[in-house]
Amino acid sequence: MLILIAGITGNLGQNLAHSALSRGHQVRGLGRSPSRLPQPLLSSLESFVTSSSYYDIPAIECAVANVDAIVAAYANVPGLTLEGQLILLRAAERAGVRRYVSTSWNFDWTKIPLGKHESYDEYIMFKQHVELSSSAIKPIYIFTGVLAEFMFHAPSDMTELPEVPVWNPKKGTAVYYGDGKVRFQWTTFRDTAEYTIEIVTADGAEKGGCYSVMSDAGDVFQIAKTWKEVTGKDTKLIPAGDVKGLEELALAGRKAHRKDEWKSYIGPFYWLHSIEGAWDLDEDNLYTSPRVHPTKLKDFFEMHKDYYSKF
């Protein structure tokens, strides 16, 4: 199968490429800078189509030609998530592609209304628009909880995303609201990529649908315990206040900024909605595969032990 990965140069895009190649598929990349890929990976691609922007129609038309599946590994950037995906989707329609993974890989935003969490609004609008426009493509949406490399400050290209003040290895701290018993769900880049390629290449993938996958889950106390088991270091647990105060903080931040400045105030809302459980993955109905072995937190810390030892 020939799979186009749009946004291949990012951490997730590269993991997707490795996963697809390891399964014997061909991979075509679409992005602005092929130099961002390690040379061995770049050399393994069927081709790399360079685009000047997400609305570079000629490049996108070239990229989607004759592929069997498309994975949109776009970053959560205003405009790109909605407009960029619609441009890519329409090109895929014209090319006759039917397997399409929409950029998602986050909490289950199908459970929340538009406007509840601004950084998810464009995902919701994209899904709604595709359904209203009777697209020939039925996209696949994959929910992962928070991406582990982001939550645990492991090496990644996601520094542009808003700070989620849960756990900070550099300071040796874990911040929590209320009783701290909120159970966070997360998935690593590698596991996310493995599940995604399994799903998009499976029989019936053209029917689309929503899937939930997960590597592991736990509260700040469990995270701190696992951290000490791996590194021998203690974590300072810092109570940041009650849930009412958190809600007031979040709403005040929203009131003080324009909507297009959501990155400046969205952090507390991640905490608030996680405490509410508004978007939790249904752990009784996770997608699983015998070919994917979820990375447990202890193993994740072990994998990045050399990186963490710098702090």
Side-chain angles (χ1 to χ4, degrees):
M1 189 174 289
L2 175 56
I3 303 172
L4 171 67
I5 300 175
I8 194 172
T9 58
N11 283 149
L12 182 54
Q14 292 185 42
N15 274 271
L16 287 161
H18 283 300
S19 179
L21 290 167
S22 72
R23 287 165 166 73
H25 301 294
Q26 290 182 294
V27 173
R28 180 181 297 169
L30 172 64
R32 289 179 296 175
S33 304
S35 60
R36 290 186 60 192
L37 290 178
Q39 188 58 45
L41 178 56
L42 183 60
S43 300
S44 299
L45 301 180
E46 179 264 352
S47 61
F48 185 101
V49 178
T50 303
S51 61
S52 60
S53 66
Y54 69 74
Y55 45 84
D56 184 345
I57 304 296
I60 293 170
E61 295 279 6
C62 177
V64 302
N66 302 312
V67 301
D68 301 296
I70 295 172
V71 181
Y74 287 155
N76 185 9
V77 176
L80 182 59
T81 305
L82 178 58
E83 296 169 18
Q85 276 210 101
L86 286 173
I87 292 170
L88 180 61
L89 183 89
R90 299 309 181 201
E93 289 174 345
R94 293 190 294 273
V97 183
R98 292 295 176 265
R99 294 170 182 245
Y100 182 98
V101 178
S102 171
T103 183
S104 44
W105 304 296
N106 30 41
F107 289 101
D108 188 351
W109 39 258
T110 66
K111 297 179 178 180
I112 63 174
L114 189 69
K116 187 176 180 70
H117 193 78
E118 285 85 342
S119 65
Y120 287 175
D121 279 351
E122 289 200 10
Y123 298 109
I124 297 171
M125 288 188 282
F126 173 80
K127 184 174 186 292
Q128 184 76 352
H129 182 80
V130 172
E131 292 171 357
L132 287 171
S133 61
S134 300
S135 171
I137 295 176
K138 309 301 179 188
I140 293 167
Y141 305 92
I142 301 175
F143 305 118
T144 59
V146 65
L147 291 169
E149 283 79 358
F150 178 39
M151 180 165 181
F152 298 114
H153 297 254
S156 76
D157 60 356
M158 303 182 71
T159 54
E160 78 278 6
L161 290 181
E163 176 79 2
V164 179
V166 179
W167 184 79
N168 191 327
K170 295 180 181 180
K171 296 181 179 179
T173 60
V175 175
Y176 65 91
Y177 289 89
D179 61 9
K181 295 297 179 67
V182 59
R183 190 165 177 274
F184 291 97
Q185 300 166 316
W186 58 80
T187 309
T188 67
F189 282 143
R190 186 195 71 84
D191 292 353
T192 296
E194 292 283 291
Y195 282 124
T196 299
I197 298 303
E198 283 283 298
I199 291 168
V200 75
T201 58
D203 291 342
E206 65 278 358
K207 296 178 182 177
C210 296
Y211 297 80
S212 293
V213 302
M214 192 179 81
S215 294
D216 207 352
D219 60 35
V220 291
F221 304 105
Q222 293 167 322
I223 293 168
K225 180 181 177 182
T226 303
W227 175 249
K228 184 164 186 178
E229 289 175 0
V230 174
T231 67
K233 298 178 181 178
D234 288 316
T235 299
K236 183 179 180 181
L237 299 171
I238 304 174
D242 58 21
V243 178
K244 186 174 186 295
L246 172 64
E247 182 178 19
E248 292 172 351
L249 174 67
L251 294 175
R254 175 180 281 164
K255 185 176 181 180
H257 294 83
R258 302 190 311 268
K259 281 199 171 184
D260 63 349
E261 297 175 325
W262 59 260
K263 289 186 179 182
S264 299
Y265 64 81
I266 202 69
F269 282 103
Y270 278 98
W271 258 109
L272 187 62
H273 300 327
S274 294
I275 290 172
E276 294 172 347
W279 54 27
D280 284 358
L281 309 181
D282 181 357
E283 295 184 30
D284 292 327
N285 290 289
L286 296 175
Y287 173 85
T288 60
S289 167
R291 297 187 62 178
V292 183
H293 304 287
T295 305
K296 296 304 177 185
L297 183 59
K298 184 175 181 180
D299 297 326
F300 180 82
F301 283 155
E302 289 282 2
M303 287 166 53
H304 298 288
K305 196 171 181 178
D306 289 344
Y307 173 76
Y308 288 133
S309 68
K310 300 174 185 178
F311 308 139

